[in-house]
Amino acid sequence: MIIGLLDITFTIMILNWKKWAFYGLLITSLSIMIYNLVNGNGILFAALGFLGFIIIYLLLLLKKDGISGWENLE
């Protein structure tokens, strides 16, 4: 439950263009993936939890007027 609340907080902070929130999402996504693997879930199921982070990363790579979302993060 704590990791879920952290994910919500980090997502809100990404909307406020904070770079540290991106790394926070990376850490929580990796910890959830490792937790799923340790509990015996399959690698595919564990990797699906990481899919949301990958989508956010890809969205930050999109460019508008030659500037990516990553460049806008503080």
Side-chain angles (χ1 to χ4, degrees):
M1 185 166 121
I2 293 172
I3 291 179
L5 292 173
L6 284 173
D7 276 342
I8 292 169
T9 304
F10 292 143
T11 304
I12 290 170
M13 294 312 291
I14 282 183
L15 293 175
N16 291 327
W17 299 105
K18 303 297 181 190
K19 191 177 284 190
W20 58 265
F22 176 79
Y23 295 117
L25 278 174
L26 173 64
I27 291 169
T28 56
S29 295
L30 284 174
S31 63
I32 290 172
M33 189 170 97
I34 291 169
Y35 176 79
N36 284 334
L37 288 173
V38 168
N39 282 335
N41 296 324
I43 187 77
L44 181 63
F45 181 75
L48 283 177
F50 201 67
L51 187 63
F53 174 77
I54 293 172
I55 290 171
I56 290 175
Y57 174 72
L58 292 174
L59 288 173
L60 284 172
L61 291 179
L62 292 176
K63 291 187 177 187
K64 182 177 180 180
D65 298 326
I67 299 173
S68 69
W70 184 257
E71 294 170 1
N72 287 325
L73 293 178
E74 298 174 357

